[in-house]
Structures are given as C-alpha cells and as structure tokens.
Amino acid sequence: MRKQIRKIGILTSGGDASGMNAAIRAAVRYAIYKKIEVYGYYEGFKGLIANNYKVLTNNSVGGIIDRGGTVLFTARSEEFKTKEGLLKAKNNLKENSIDALVVIGGDGSFRGARDLSEFGVNVVGIPATIDNDIYGTDLSLGFDTALNVIIDLVSKIRDTASSHERIFVVEVMGRNSGELAIKSGLACGSDYVLIPGIKFDLAKISSEIKNHRIGKRHTLLMVAEGAAKAEEVASSIKLLVDHEVRFSVLGHIQRGGSPTAVDRLIAAQFAKKAIDFIISGGTNAMVAIQKNKIEVVDFNEVFSKNKIIDKSLYDYAHILAL
Ligand code: ATP
C-alpha cells in the first residue's frame, strides 16, 4: 500500500536562481492545501546535516514571490558527498518524520538527492540554475530572468558602444554551458558568440570585424565565461584590429533580480507537479518542462546525457550579424 505523505522537507541548493522563492511559496501552499506539513531546511544539504529547519506556513512564504535569491538560503556542502554526511541527513529526516524531500537546485544538487534516495529517502527535484544546463528540461528556474537581466545590461552597453564607435566584449555566466551566451547573443543582436565546446578563431573574427566595420557603429561579442576571458579576447582583438575594444564582465548581477513572468509561472507549475508526484509515491526524479508541458523525468535519465547546445541557434545568431 502506498505510504501516505504527511510531512515533507524542502531546500534550495547550489547556485541561487531567481524563481526559487516563487517555487518555495507554491510548493508550501500547495502542500498545505493537500494537508501536508512542510519543513524548510536552511542552506541546502548543509542545513539537512545540521538539522537546521523551520516549519513553513502559508504566512511565512508570503511576500516572496517577487524576490530573487532564496529565503531558505543556499550553500555547497562537501560533507554531504560523504557517507557520514548522507547518514546524518537521513537520520535527521527520519527523526523529524519527513516522508519526502523537495530539492530545488541544479545538476549537482540532484546527484546529492539521488544519493540520499539510495538511503531510502523519497526525493523530487525542481530544476533551478541560471545555466539551464540540466538534461531533460527545456528550462530551469532562473534562466529566463538571467537572460532578461543580460538583455537590459547589454542594451545599456550598446548605447555607449555605438556612441563611441567601439567594439565590446561582454562576458556572461556559463562555465560549461553556452546557453546564456547563445540566447542572450541572439536576443541582443550580438555579432559573435563564443561558447565552450565550439572552437573560435580570433584572427578570423578580427579580420571579419575589420572588413565589415564600414557602416557599423558598434560590434558586440558575447562570451561565455567557460569559453574565454573577456579581457583576453578584448586585448587580442585590439592588437589585430587596431580599434578601441572594451570589455565588460557582467558577473553576479546576472543572478539577481525579481523573477520574470516565465520563471514565476514555471515555478508554480513545477511545484505542483513535484508535490503531486511525491503524493503519488514517486521518487528519484525531477520535474521538467518539455515542449511546453510539465513532465517528470527520472534522475537516471537526467544523468544519462549532457544537454546539447542548439548549434542551429548558434549558427543563426552569426547569420543575423552579417
Ligand atoms: P548550479 O548549477 O547553480 O551550480 P548545482 O546544484 O549544480 O547548481 P553544485 O554546487 O554542483 O550546484 O551542488 C550543490 C551541492 O550538491 C554540493 O555542495 C554537494 O553537497 C551536492 N553535490 C554536488 N555534486 C554532487 C555529486 N556528484 N554527488 C553527490 N552530491 C553532490
């Protein structure tokens, strides 16, 4: 017989992403509606090991839907990767009579959740990472907000670039993923996008810039942090083009800010799907959005492949820049 879910835990882990709070709010309120009590664990898996939690109520998640970051805070925990850490977490959950755990985070957090499930804890993941690099979901919470933040910042950079006829190199987040760079590049009308995994030739780019500059007031290169350092790209191009080149590293600004409508809406839908999945006795999976439908994807499937960048979008961004 399926075990009745009376109490769940929820936490946010890994890098903070806008929309995490909207997901916490929706998960707590929907769970309470389903007569489930919710414990919010602070600082991700670290709080699970330290048994640092607070009982969340409808009121305690009021006024957070529009806030960036996470009210449950987040942390990285090396201890959680050890057997001892996992055992502590599992025992704390057992002592608190937690029937299932909702983990809001990225790929690393889901691997942690999967490890915990091997100790008999029911787990479900809600994808949240501005890198949008989790296989199995078209979108992760925080990505759309980060994209919009970048678009806003780059439009300001373009003002000064075209006023002064400059070449600008903008570095966006993405150590292993080019999603933010490609999509922000396309949305900002950048001339070049440099991403991890696709080779680029600065000599060729510089010669193209030189030959195509006539009639152009600005040139914009979008660089994912994992592909190259904006400063180095800027100084190489400057040497080759003999023109003013500036760079800007957008940094942590990209993480912050109030979530966009897209992030708030998927946060609400992810949360409902996650709670329903847990109630149905499900475990070891994440909720996802695929072709505009909210789905559940087993962690084994999530970890089986790497998310592949849409090369046609990359090519298209360069076609439009001609
Ligand atoms: P982001 O994509 O924003 O970085 P993330 O969830 O991938 O988010 P990580 O720092 O990789 O962030 O992971 C968060 C926590 O999950 C780690 O501090 C660790 O406790 C746990 N974790 C990460 N990787 C693993 C792993 N391979 N096995 C078990 N636990 C892991």
Side-chain angles (χ1 to χ4, degrees), residues 130-177:
I130 70 162
D131 289 338
N132 200 27
D133 58 353
I134 303 172
Y135 177 77
T137 185
D138 296 342
L139 278 175
S140 301
L141 296 180
F143 178 71
D144 187 69
T145 303
L147 210 49
N148 279 280
V149 169
I150 295 169
I151 290 169
D152 185 44
L153 295 169
V154 170
S155 74
K156 294 178 171 107
I157 287 174
R158 281 179 82 119
D159 288 346
T160 183
S162 53
S163 302
H164 291 270
E165 206 187 353
R166 273 185 187 137
I167 299 164
F168 249 94
V169 182
V170 176
E171 185 177 312
V172 297
M173 283 189 169
R175 260 174 309 200
N176 303 306
S177 164

mmCIF file of all heavy atoms in Angstrom, residues 130-177:
data_model
loop_
_atom_site.group_PDB
_atom_site.id
_atom_site.type_symbol
_atom_site.label_atom_id
_atom_site.label_comp_id
_atom_site.label_asym_id
_atom_site.label_seq_id
_atom_site.Cartn_x
_atom_site.Cartn_y
_atom_site.Cartn_z
ATOM 1 N N ILE A 130 20.758 29.157 -13.383
ATOM 2 C CA ILE A 130 20.731 30.141 -14.474
ATOM 3 C C ILE A 130 21.444 29.610 -15.720
ATOM 4 O O ILE A 130 21.262 30.132 -16.808
ATOM 5 C CB ILE A 130 21.301 31.513 -14.055
ATOM 6 C CG1 ILE A 130 22.806 31.459 -13.837
ATOM 7 C CG2 ILE A 130 20.597 32.067 -12.851
ATOM 8 C CD1 ILE A 130 23.434 32.842 -13.849
ATOM 9 N N ASP A 131 22.264 28.548 -15.549
ATOM 10 C CA ASP A 131 22.976 27.982 -16.706
ATOM 11 C C ASP A 131 22.053 27.214 -17.653
ATOM 12 O O ASP A 131 22.405 27.006 -18.812
ATOM 13 C CB ASP A 131 24.084 27.026 -16.234
ATOM 14 C CG ASP A 131 25.236 27.770 -15.593
ATOM 15 O OD1 ASP A 131 25.387 28.972 -15.878
ATOM 16 O OD2 ASP A 131 25.979 27.160 -14.808
ATOM 17 N N ASN A 132 20.914 26.787 -17.162
ATOM 18 C CA ASN A 132 19.964 25.988 -17.967
ATOM 19 C C ASN A 132 20.654 24.799 -18.639
ATOM 20 O O ASN A 132 20.424 24.517 -19.814
ATOM 21 C CB ASN A 132 19.293 26.874 -19.032
ATOM 22 C CG ASN A 132 17.998 26.262 -19.546
ATOM 23 O OD1 ASN A 132 17.337 25.503 -18.839
ATOM 24 N ND2 ASN A 132 17.637 26.571 -20.779
ATOM 25 N N ASP A 133 21.481 24.104 -17.855
ATOM 26 C CA ASP A 133 22.296 23.032 -18.431
ATOM 27 C C ASP A 133 21.852 21.640 -17.979
ATOM 28 O O ASP A 133 22.613 20.687 -18.092
ATOM 29 C CB ASP A 133 23.776 23.254 -18.070
ATOM 30 C CG ASP A 133 24.002 23.317 -16.568
ATOM 31 O OD1 ASP A 133 23.011 23.320 -15.803
ATOM 32 O OD2 ASP A 133 25.169 23.366 -16.142
ATOM 33 N N ILE A 134 20.638 21.535 -17.456
ATOM 34 C CA ILE A 134 20.195 20.223 -16.969
ATOM 35 C C ILE A 134 19.511 19.463 -18.097
ATOM 36 O O ILE A 134 18.534 19.960 -18.683
ATOM 37 C CB ILE A 134 19.234 20.374 -15.765
ATOM 38 C CG1 ILE A 134 19.903 21.178 -14.640
ATOM 39 C CG2 ILE A 134 18.777 19.007 -15.268
ATOM 40 C CD1 ILE A 134 18.972 21.538 -13.502
ATOM 41 N N TYR A 135 20.019 18.274 -18.371
ATOM 42 C CA TYR A 135 19.423 17.460 -19.431
ATOM 43 C C TYR A 135 18.006 17.029 -19.013
ATOM 44 O O TYR A 135 17.768 16.637 -17.877
ATOM 45 C CB TYR A 135 20.284 16.205 -19.688
ATOM 46 C CG TYR A 135 19.662 15.310 -20.733
ATOM 47 C CD1 TYR A 135 19.754 15.628 -22.080
ATOM 48 C CD2 TYR A 135 18.934 14.181 -20.359
ATOM 49 C CE1 TYR A 135 19.143 14.838 -23.047
ATOM 50 C CE2 TYR A 135 18.328 13.381 -21.321
ATOM 51 C CZ TYR A 135 18.437 13.710 -22.653
ATOM 52 O OH TYR A 135 17.826 12.950 -23.602
ATOM 53 N N GLY A 136 17.073 17.119 -19.950
ATOM 54 C CA GLY A 136 15.715 16.619 -19.683
ATOM 55 C C GLY A 136 14.688 17.709 -19.478
ATOM 56 O O GLY A 136 13.497 17.425 -19.427
ATOM 57 N N THR A 137 15.137 18.946 -19.323
ATOM 58 C CA THR A 137 14.173 20.044 -19.197
ATOM 59 C C THR A 137 14.562 21.182 -20.138
ATOM 60 O O THR A 137 15.748 21.521 -20.252
ATOM 61 C CB THR A 137 14.036 20.545 -17.735
ATOM 62 O OG1 THR A 137 12.993 21.523 -17.680
ATOM 63 C CG2 THR A 137 15.326 21.135 -17.168
ATOM 64 N N ASP A 138 13.575 21.735 -20.809
ATOM 65 C CA ASP A 138 13.873 22.844 -21.719
ATOM 66 C C ASP A 138 14.300 24.079 -20.936
ATOM 67 O O ASP A 138 15.091 24.875 -21.423
ATOM 68 C CB ASP A 138 12.639 23.176 -22.577
ATOM 69 C CG ASP A 138 12.256 22.010 -23.486
ATOM 70 O OD1 ASP A 138 13.107 21.128 -23.701
ATOM 71 O OD2 ASP A 138 11.102 21.974 -23.970
ATOM 72 N N LEU A 139 13.729 24.240 -19.740
ATOM 73 C CA LEU A 139 14.039 25.423 -18.927
ATOM 74 C C LEU A 139 14.287 25.053 -17.473
ATOM 75 O O LEU A 139 13.661 24.130 -16.949
ATOM 76 C CB LEU A 139 12.864 26.406 -18.960
ATOM 77 C CG LEU A 139 12.727 27.347 -20.155
ATOM 78 C CD1 LEU A 139 11.442 28.145 -20.037
ATOM 79 C CD2 LEU A 139 13.927 28.293 -20.250
ATOM 80 N N SER A 140 15.176 25.809 -16.840
ATOM 81 C CA SER A 140 15.386 25.719 -15.393
ATOM 82 C C SER A 140 15.043 27.078 -14.811
ATOM 83 O O SER A 140 15.238 28.106 -15.482
ATOM 84 C CB SER A 140 16.847 25.430 -15.081
ATOM 85 O OG SER A 140 17.245 24.234 -15.680
ATOM 86 N N LEU A 141 14.594 27.089 -13.565
ATOM 87 C CA LEU A 141 14.271 28.372 -12.929
ATOM 88 C C LEU A 141 15.506 29.267 -12.908
ATOM 89 O O LEU A 141 16.612 28.803 -12.639
ATOM 90 C CB LEU A 141 13.786 28.153 -11.491
ATOM 91 C CG LEU A 141 12.479 27.384 -11.322
ATOM 92 C CD1 LEU A 141 12.139 27.245 -9.832
ATOM 93 C CD2 LEU A 141 11.347 28.094 -12.054
ATOM 94 N N GLY A 142 15.322 30.523 -13.178
ATOM 95 C CA GLY A 142 16.414 31.495 -13.105
ATOM 96 C C GLY A 142 17.000 31.848 -14.460
ATOM 97 O O GLY A 142 17.573 32.924 -14.627
ATOM 98 N N PHE A 143 16.839 30.943 -15.430
ATOM 99 C CA PHE A 143 17.455 31.189 -16.738
ATOM 100 C C PHE A 143 16.795 32.375 -17.440
ATOM 101 O O PHE A 143 17.476 33.284 -17.931
ATOM 102 C CB PHE A 143 17.343 29.929 -17.608
ATOM 103 C CG PHE A 143 17.901 30.111 -18.995
ATOM 104 C CD1 PHE A 143 19.262 30.230 -19.203
ATOM 105 C CD2 PHE A 143 17.065 30.160 -20.091
ATOM 106 C CE1 PHE A 143 19.788 30.398 -20.478
ATOM 107 C CE2 PHE A 143 17.572 30.323 -21.376
ATOM 108 C CZ PHE A 143 18.943 30.448 -21.565
ATOM 109 N N ASP A 144 15.476 32.375 -17.469
ATOM 110 C CA ASP A 144 14.789 33.456 -18.192
ATOM 111 C C ASP A 144 15.055 34.814 -17.536
ATOM 112 O O ASP A 144 15.245 35.820 -18.229
ATOM 113 C CB ASP A 144 13.279 33.174 -18.247
ATOM 114 C CG ASP A 144 12.563 34.178 -19.130
ATOM 115 O OD1 ASP A 144 12.773 34.136 -20.355
ATOM 116 O OD2 ASP A 144 11.829 35.040 -18.600
ATOM 117 N N THR A 145 15.099 34.820 -16.212
ATOM 118 C CA THR A 145 15.381 36.084 -15.519
ATOM 119 C C THR A 145 16.795 36.558 -15.846
ATOM 120 O O THR A 145 17.009 37.742 -16.159
ATOM 121 C CB THR A 145 15.209 35.914 -13.989
ATOM 122 O OG1 THR A 145 13.879 35.460 -13.730
ATOM 123 C CG2 THR A 145 15.446 37.226 -13.246
ATOM 124 N N ALA A 146 17.756 35.625 -15.804
ATOM 125 C CA ALA A 146 19.146 35.997 -16.113
ATOM 126 C C ALA A 146 19.249 36.544 -17.538
ATOM 127 O O ALA A 146 19.934 37.550 -17.786
ATOM 128 C CB ALA A 146 20.057 34.786 -15.934
ATOM 129 N N LEU A 147 18.541 35.889 -18.442
ATOM 130 C CA LEU A 147 18.539 36.329 -19.839
ATOM 131 C C LEU A 147 18.025 37.775 -19.946
ATOM 132 O O LEU A 147 18.612 38.617 -20.639
ATOM 133 C CB LEU A 147 17.606 35.392 -20.613
ATOM 134 C CG LEU A 147 17.852 35.112 -22.076
ATOM 135 C CD1 LEU A 147 19.291 34.725 -22.333
ATOM 136 C CD2 LEU A 147 16.917 33.986 -22.534
ATOM 137 N N ASN A 148 16.962 38.042 -19.247
ATOM 138 C CA ASN A 148 16.387 39.394 -19.289
ATOM 139 C C ASN A 148 17.298 40.430 -18.637
ATOM 140 O O ASN A 148 17.375 41.568 -19.107
ATOM 141 C CB ASN A 148 14.998 39.391 -18.645
ATOM 142 C CG ASN A 148 13.946 38.897 -19.622
ATOM 143 O OD1 ASN A 148 13.489 39.636 -20.486
ATOM 144 N ND2 ASN A 148 13.602 37.630 -19.531
ATOM 145 N N VAL A 149 17.987 40.023 -17.578
ATOM 146 C CA VAL A 149 18.946 40.939 -16.933
ATOM 147 C C VAL A 149 20.060 41.268 -17.937
ATOM 148 O O VAL A 149 20.439 42.434 -18.120
ATOM 149 C CB VAL A 149 19.538 40.308 -15.641
ATOM 150 C CG1 VAL A 149 20.726 41.121 -15.131
ATOM 151 C CG2 VAL A 149 18.480 40.192 -14.558
ATOM 152 N N ILE A 150 20.566 40.237 -18.618
ATOM 153 C CA ILE A 150 21.654 40.447 -19.592
ATOM 154 C C ILE A 150 21.181 41.370 -20.719
ATOM 155 O O ILE A 150 21.898 42.301 -21.110
ATOM 156 C CB ILE A 150 22.146 39.098 -20.166
ATOM 157 C CG1 ILE A 150 22.795 38.256 -19.066
ATOM 158 C CG2 ILE A 150 23.139 39.319 -21.308
ATOM 159 C CD1 ILE A 150 23.076 36.809 -19.458
ATOM 160 N N ILE A 151 19.991 41.117 -21.220
ATOM 161 C CA ILE A 151 19.471 41.949 -22.317
ATOM 162 C C ILE A 151 19.423 43.420 -21.888
ATOM 163 O O ILE A 151 19.811 44.324 -22.628
ATOM 164 C CB ILE A 151 18.073 41.452 -22.755
ATOM 165 C CG1 ILE A 151 18.202 40.096 -23.462
ATOM 166 C CG2 ILE A 151 17.372 42.462 -23.663
ATOM 167 C CD1 ILE A 151 16.887 39.392 -23.705
ATOM 168 N N ASP A 152 18.959 43.636 -20.669
ATOM 169 C CA ASP A 152 18.857 45.002 -20.148
ATOM 170 C C ASP A 152 20.251 45.656 -20.046
ATOM 171 O O ASP A 152 20.454 46.797 -20.474
ATOM 172 C CB ASP A 152 18.173 44.940 -18.776
ATOM 173 C CG ASP A 152 17.918 46.311 -18.222
ATOM 174 O OD1 ASP A 152 17.464 47.167 -19.002
ATOM 175 O OD2 ASP A 152 18.198 46.531 -17.025
ATOM 176 N N LEU A 153 21.211 44.896 -19.511
ATOM 177 C CA LEU A 153 22.568 45.444 -19.340
ATOM 178 C C LEU A 153 23.238 45.701 -20.689
ATOM 179 O O LEU A 153 23.889 46.724 -20.888
ATOM 180 C CB LEU A 153 23.426 44.484 -18.508
ATOM 181 C CG LEU A 153 22.983 44.275 -17.056
ATOM 182 C CD1 LEU A 153 23.739 43.125 -16.420
ATOM 183 C CD2 LEU A 153 23.189 45.556 -16.246
ATOM 184 N N VAL A 154 23.051 44.751 -21.610
ATOM 185 C CA VAL A 154 23.720 44.894 -22.910
ATOM 186 C C VAL A 154 23.126 46.053 -23.705
ATOM 187 O O VAL A 154 23.841 46.746 -24.433
ATOM 188 C CB VAL A 154 23.693 43.564 -23.705
ATOM 189 C CG1 VAL A 154 24.166 43.756 -25.133
ATOM 190 C CG2 VAL A 154 24.566 42.533 -23.009
ATOM 191 N N SER A 155 21.834 46.299 -23.527
ATOM 192 C CA SER A 155 21.258 47.437 -24.264
ATOM 193 C C SER A 155 21.899 48.748 -23.787
ATOM 194 O O SER A 155 22.096 49.673 -24.573
ATOM 195 C CB SER A 155 19.738 47.463 -24.143
ATOM 196 O OG SER A 155 19.372 47.894 -22.873
ATOM 197 N N LYS A 156 22.295 48.777 -22.519
ATOM 198 C CA LYS A 156 22.990 49.972 -21.998
ATOM 199 C C LYS A 156 24.407 50.046 -22.570
ATOM 200 O O LYS A 156 24.896 51.116 -22.923
ATOM 201 C CB LYS A 156 23.021 49.938 -20.469
ATOM 202 C CG LYS A 156 21.616 50.073 -19.883
ATOM 203 C CD LYS A 156 21.617 49.991 -18.374
ATOM 204 C CE LYS A 156 20.255 50.350 -17.837
ATOM 205 N NZ LYS A 156 19.487 49.210 -17.331
ATOM 206 N N ILE A 157 25.044 48.884 -22.642
ATOM 207 C CA ILE A 157 26.400 48.844 -23.207
ATOM 208 C C ILE A 157 26.369 49.272 -24.679
ATOM 209 O O ILE A 157 27.239 49.996 -25.151
ATOM 210 C CB ILE A 157 26.998 47.423 -23.053
ATOM 211 C CG1 ILE A 157 27.350 47.178 -21.587
ATOM 212 C CG2 ILE A 157 28.228 47.223 -23.938
ATOM 213 C CD1 ILE A 157 27.805 45.780 -21.252
ATOM 214 N N ARG A 158 25.334 48.838 -25.396
ATOM 215 C CA ARG A 158 25.224 49.205 -26.831
ATOM 216 C C ARG A 158 25.112 50.710 -27.006
ATOM 217 O O ARG A 158 25.626 51.258 -27.980
ATOM 218 C CB ARG A 158 23.996 48.537 -27.449
ATOM 219 C CG ARG A 158 24.214 47.101 -27.796
ATOM 220 C CD ARG A 158 22.950 46.525 -28.376
ATOM 221 N NE ARG A 158 22.854 46.865 -29.779
ATOM 222 C CZ ARG A 158 22.822 45.961 -30.744
ATOM 223 N NH1 ARG A 158 22.873 44.688 -30.443
ATOM 224 N NH2 ARG A 158 22.732 46.312 -31.998
ATOM 225 N N ASP A 159 24.426 51.373 -26.070
ATOM 226 C CA ASP A 159 24.302 52.842 -26.164
ATOM 227 C C ASP A 159 25.677 53.478 -26.224
ATOM 228 O O ASP A 159 25.958 54.308 -27.085
ATOM 229 C CB ASP A 159 23.542 53.405 -24.952
ATOM 230 C CG ASP A 159 22.063 53.064 -25.009
ATOM 231 O OD1 ASP A 159 21.601 52.636 -26.082
ATOM 232 O OD2 ASP A 159 21.391 53.213 -23.972
ATOM 233 N N THR A 160 26.531 53.061 -25.293
ATOM 234 C CA THR A 160 27.858 53.679 -25.250
ATOM 235 C C THR A 160 28.734 53.162 -26.396
ATOM 236 O O THR A 160 29.512 53.910 -26.982
ATOM 237 C CB THR A 160 28.520 53.503 -23.858
ATOM 238 O OG1 THR A 160 29.756 54.178 -23.866
ATOM 239 C CG2 THR A 160 28.759 52.074 -23.459
ATOM 240 N N ALA A 161 28.561 51.867 -26.754
ATOM 241 C CA ALA A 161 29.378 51.311 -27.846
ATOM 242 C C ALA A 161 29.119 52.050 -29.146
ATOM 243 O O ALA A 161 30.056 52.420 -29.859
ATOM 244 C CB ALA A 161 29.080 49.824 -28.007
ATOM 245 N N SER A 162 27.846 52.306 -29.446
ATOM 246 C CA SER A 162 27.584 52.964 -30.733
ATOM 247 C C SER A 162 27.882 54.458 -30.668
ATOM 248 O O SER A 162 28.298 55.042 -31.663
ATOM 249 C CB SER A 162 26.168 52.688 -31.240
ATOM 250 O OG SER A 162 25.242 52.997 -30.273
ATOM 251 N N SER A 163 27.713 55.059 -29.493
ATOM 252 C CA SER A 163 28.061 56.484 -29.383
ATOM 253 C C SER A 163 29.539 56.702 -29.672
ATOM 254 O O SER A 163 29.927 57.661 -30.326
ATOM 255 C CB SER A 163 27.749 57.017 -27.986
ATOM 256 O OG SER A 163 26.390 56.833 -27.711
ATOM 257 N N HIS A 164 30.363 55.788 -29.148
ATOM 258 C CA HIS A 164 31.818 55.964 -29.280
ATOM 259 C C HIS A 164 32.437 55.082 -30.375
ATOM 260 O O HIS A 164 33.647 55.012 -30.481
ATOM 261 C CB HIS A 164 32.505 55.638 -27.950
ATOM 262 C CG HIS A 164 32.216 56.637 -26.890
ATOM 263 N ND1 HIS A 164 32.974 57.751 -26.675
ATOM 264 C CD2 HIS A 164 31.211 56.693 -25.996
ATOM 265 C CE1 HIS A 164 32.465 58.454 -25.681
ATOM 266 N NE2 HIS A 164 31.387 57.825 -25.239
ATOM 267 N N GLU A 165 31.622 54.417 -31.134
ATOM 268 C CA GLU A 165 32.078 53.508 -32.182
ATOM 269 C C GLU A 165 33.095 52.491 -31.650
ATOM 270 O O GLU A 165 34.251 52.466 -32.052
ATOM 271 C CB GLU A 165 32.687 54.280 -33.365
ATOM 272 C CG GLU A 165 32.572 53.481 -34.649
ATOM 273 C CD GLU A 165 33.307 54.102 -35.809
ATOM 274 O OE1 GLU A 165 33.815 55.219 -35.672
ATOM 275 O OE2 GLU A 165 33.366 53.452 -36.853
ATOM 276 N N ARG A 166 32.588 51.678 -30.700
ATOM 277 C CA ARG A 166 33.502 50.737 -30.049
ATOM 278 C C ARG A 166 33.124 49.288 -30.289
ATOM 279 O O ARG A 166 31.981 48.976 -30.575
ATOM 280 C CB ARG A 166 33.486 50.992 -28.533
ATOM 281 C CG ARG A 166 34.479 52.058 -28.189
ATOM 282 C CD ARG A 166 34.644 52.303 -26.734
ATOM 283 N NE ARG A 166 35.508 53.454 -26.613
ATOM 284 C CZ ARG A 166 35.335 54.458 -25.769
ATOM 285 N NH1 ARG A 166 34.312 54.460 -24.949
ATOM 286 N NH2 ARG A 166 36.180 55.450 -25.739
ATOM 287 N N ILE A 167 34.126 48.476 -30.113
ATOM 288 C CA ILE A 167 33.896 47.027 -30.115
ATOM 289 C C ILE A 167 33.786 46.625 -28.642
ATOM 290 O O ILE A 167 34.624 47.020 -27.834
ATOM 291 C CB ILE A 167 35.083 46.295 -30.788
ATOM 292 C CG1 ILE A 167 35.222 46.766 -32.244
ATOM 293 C CG2 ILE A 167 34.917 44.790 -30.690
ATOM 294 C CD1 ILE A 167 36.571 46.416 -32.867
ATOM 295 N N PHE A 168 32.760 45.896 -28.308
ATOM 296 C CA PHE A 168 32.560 45.489 -26.917
ATOM 297 C C PHE A 168 32.545 43.979 -26.793
ATOM 298 O O PHE A 168 31.888 43.291 -27.574
ATOM 299 C CB PHE A 168 31.233 46.042 -26.370
ATOM 300 C CG PHE A 168 31.438 47.099 -25.319
ATOM 301 C CD1 PHE A 168 31.461 48.441 -25.668
ATOM 302 C CD2 PHE A 168 31.619 46.737 -23.994
ATOM 303 C CE1 PHE A 168 31.657 49.426 -24.704
ATOM 304 C CE2 PHE A 168 31.817 47.711 -23.029
ATOM 305 C CZ PHE A 168 31.839 49.064 -23.382
ATOM 306 N N VAL A 169 33.280 43.482 -25.798
ATOM 307 C CA VAL A 169 33.249 42.053 -25.486
ATOM 308 C C VAL A 169 32.537 41.910 -24.144
ATOM 309 O O VAL A 169 32.960 42.493 -23.142
ATOM 310 C CB VAL A 169 34.683 41.467 -25.384
ATOM 311 C CG1 VAL A 169 34.625 39.967 -25.111
ATOM 312 C CG2 VAL A 169 35.479 41.758 -26.653
ATOM 313 N N VAL A 170 31.445 41.168 -24.123
ATOM 314 C CA VAL A 170 30.660 41.020 -22.894
ATOM 315 C C VAL A 170 30.746 39.565 -22.425
ATOM 316 O O VAL A 170 30.446 38.642 -23.177
ATOM 317 C CB VAL A 170 29.184 41.406 -23.136
ATOM 318 C CG1 VAL A 170 28.349 41.166 -21.881
ATOM 319 C CG2 VAL A 170 29.072 42.866 -23.569
ATOM 320 N N GLU A 171 31.191 39.397 -21.177
ATOM 321 C CA GLU A 171 31.303 38.030 -20.628
ATOM 322 C C GLU A 171 30.085 37.714 -19.777
ATOM 323 O O GLU A 171 29.751 38.454 -18.856
ATOM 324 C CB GLU A 171 32.584 37.922 -19.792
ATOM 325 C CG GLU A 171 32.858 36.514 -19.287
ATOM 326 C CD GLU A 171 34.176 36.440 -18.520
ATOM 327 O OE1 GLU A 171 35.214 36.940 -19.003
ATOM 328 O OE2 GLU A 171 34.151 35.881 -17.403
ATOM 329 N N VAL A 172 29.430 36.618 -20.118
ATOM 330 C CA VAL A 172 28.268 36.184 -19.336
ATOM 331 C C VAL A 172 28.587 34.858 -18.650
ATOM 332 O O VAL A 172 29.573 34.201 -18.963
ATOM 333 C CB VAL A 172 26.994 36.045 -20.215
ATOM 334 C CG1 VAL A 172 26.594 37.371 -20.808
ATOM 335 C CG2 VAL A 172 27.176 35.004 -21.312
ATOM 336 N N MET A 173 27.725 34.461 -17.705
ATOM 337 C CA MET A 173 27.990 33.225 -16.964
ATOM 338 C C MET A 173 27.839 32.005 -17.863
ATOM 339 O O MET A 173 27.179 32.069 -18.900
ATOM 340 C CB MET A 173 27.078 33.137 -15.757
ATOM 341 C CG MET A 173 27.562 34.036 -14.628
ATOM 342 S SD MET A 173 26.665 33.771 -13.108
ATOM 343 C CE MET A 173 27.703 34.699 -11.975
ATOM 344 N N GLY A 174 28.410 30.912 -17.441
ATOM 345 C CA GLY A 174 28.350 29.660 -18.193
ATOM 346 C C GLY A 174 29.723 29.032 -18.261
ATOM 347 O O GLY A 174 30.446 29.218 -19.230
ATOM 348 N N ARG A 175 30.091 28.317 -17.192
ATOM 349 C CA ARG A 175 31.411 27.678 -17.159
ATOM 350 C C ARG A 175 31.480 26.517 -18.150
ATOM 351 O O ARG A 175 32.447 26.338 -18.847
ATOM 352 C CB ARG A 175 31.729 27.165 -15.744
ATOM 353 C CG ARG A 175 32.646 28.112 -14.991
ATOM 354 C CD ARG A 175 32.803 27.654 -13.598
ATOM 355 N NE ARG A 175 31.470 27.417 -13.014
ATOM 356 C CZ ARG A 175 31.196 27.375 -11.739
ATOM 357 N NH1 ARG A 175 32.130 27.535 -10.874
ATOM 358 N NH2 ARG A 175 29.971 27.175 -11.298
ATOM 359 N N ASN A 176 30.393 25.745 -18.165
ATOM 360 C CA ASN A 176 30.380 24.596 -19.080
ATOM 361 C C ASN A 176 29.284 24.697 -20.116
ATOM 362 O O ASN A 176 29.170 23.852 -20.986
ATOM 363 C CB ASN A 176 30.170 23.295 -18.279
ATOM 364 C CG ASN A 176 31.232 23.124 -17.228
ATOM 365 O OD1 ASN A 176 32.414 23.171 -17.526
ATOM 366 N ND2 ASN A 176 30.813 22.968 -15.987
ATOM 367 N N SER A 177 28.452 25.701 -19.980
ATOM 368 C CA SER A 177 27.290 25.792 -20.858
ATOM 369 C C SER A 177 27.255 27.117 -21.604
ATOM 370 O O SER A 177 27.503 28.177 -21.032
ATOM 371 C CB SER A 177 26.028 25.644 -20.000
ATOM 372 O OG SER A 177 24.906 26.075 -20.726
#
